[in-house]
Amino acid sequence: MVTLDAIHAAAELLRAGDTVAFPTETVYGLGADAANPLALRRVFEAKGRPADHPLIIHIADASQMAEWGRDIPEVAWQLADAFWPGPLTMILQRGKRVLNEVTGGQETVGLRVPDHPVATALLREFGGGIAAPSANRFGRVSPTRAQHVRDELGAHVGMILDGGACRVGLESTIVSLVKGNVVLLRPGGIQVAAIEDVLLQSIMLTQPVGQAVRVPGALAAHYAPATPLELHSAETLCMRGFRLAAEGRNVAVLVLGEADKCGSGYCAYVPMPGQPDEYARVLYSTLRRLDSAGFDHLLLEAPPDTMPWLAVRDRLRRAAQGALQI
Ligand code: TXA
Ligand code: MG
């Protein structure tokens, strides 16, 4: 429960240049005043994030888009109408007042209107834009509960607003709308098909050659749990688990649907939801739980290679850090 007093106090901290971790529908963000360079520096320090990796500015509603972006194309208004508040981040040409500390020196800015009552209340009370990356150490799994933030960043955050478990569970979909193209930079909480239904056109799934955009989420080793993790097809999963267990490893096997797929007691079997939205909701908290449960190897059954699973598969692939088997 977050009281109005807590929202007031959090907005005061933001005005004073401090950081506030807050819930969104996707994951928890580590927020700072987007117009205060010193406050932004605190965010980078707390995360251990390189200064040239840009932050998303969170705004209360679409009317603030023009304050931070410029030359806003019609498609941006269409997407804002359809998906804001919600898990969609739009990359636009940056407006004059956007600080280099936010964009990492790039000419573009990421904007999002989050869909969570605590985030909305905080944005309204604060009045300005809140720059916020996910509230985890750089390269680690995003937090989906306040306790995750406490565990990982506790002492480095001015205040943590506890809004319970995040509904979506993985990060927003990021689309770039600069230079007349609609390009998917990161699959996430909004399905590609939903965006295409609104725009009545296909969107590009990879960035066009020659338009380098820095997205740390695009580094192979991003979103990684601490325990080694491998992805396997249903066919190779059980054999791999059996082999590792025979070597004396303490293995957890995350299977889609039924837990006893491999029909043996050699590993710990963790059933995962067979539907992409539900899988996404529990993925990061499951990885954190297994990380602290003392397993020395995680094996995951790869979800189907279909568009609804795109975001989940993207995060799993990164978490596997190259041990990819799908
Ligand atoms: O769901 C989310 O998007 C969460 C919540 C807190 O809103 N935020 C989040 O922020 O995931 P972060 O910083 O962990 O990931 C944002 C991604 C980064 O990979 C960053 O590089 C990219 O967005 N990004 C931000 N501004 C950009 C820009 N101008 N051009 C290209 N990529 C950008
Ligand atoms: Mg992040």
XYZ file of all heavy atoms in Angstrom, residues 47 134 136 142, ligand 2:
30
model
N 23.022 2.175 -10.421
C 22.901 0.998 -11.292
C 24.234 0.416 -11.720
O 24.308 -0.728 -12.172
C 22.144 1.392 -12.573
C 20.646 1.315 -12.458
C 20.014 1.507 -13.809
C 20.205 0.362 -14.766
N 19.191 -0.689 -14.731
N 15.209 0.459 -15.464
C 14.776 -0.563 -14.534
C 15.681 -0.500 -13.292
O 16.872 -0.190 -13.407
C 14.850 -1.946 -15.184
O 16.123 -2.149 -15.776
N 17.547 -2.159 -11.329
C 18.463 -3.264 -11.040
C 19.887 -2.811 -11.340
O 20.086 -1.822 -12.037
C 18.115 -4.461 -11.938
C 18.029 -4.054 -13.400
O 17.031 -3.459 -13.816
N 19.075 -4.345 -14.162
N 15.599 -7.481 -14.297
C 14.810 -6.356 -13.783
C 13.973 -6.773 -12.574
O 13.536 -7.921 -12.487
C 13.865 -5.830 -14.868
O 14.578 -5.254 -15.923
Mg 16.994 -2.375 -17.700
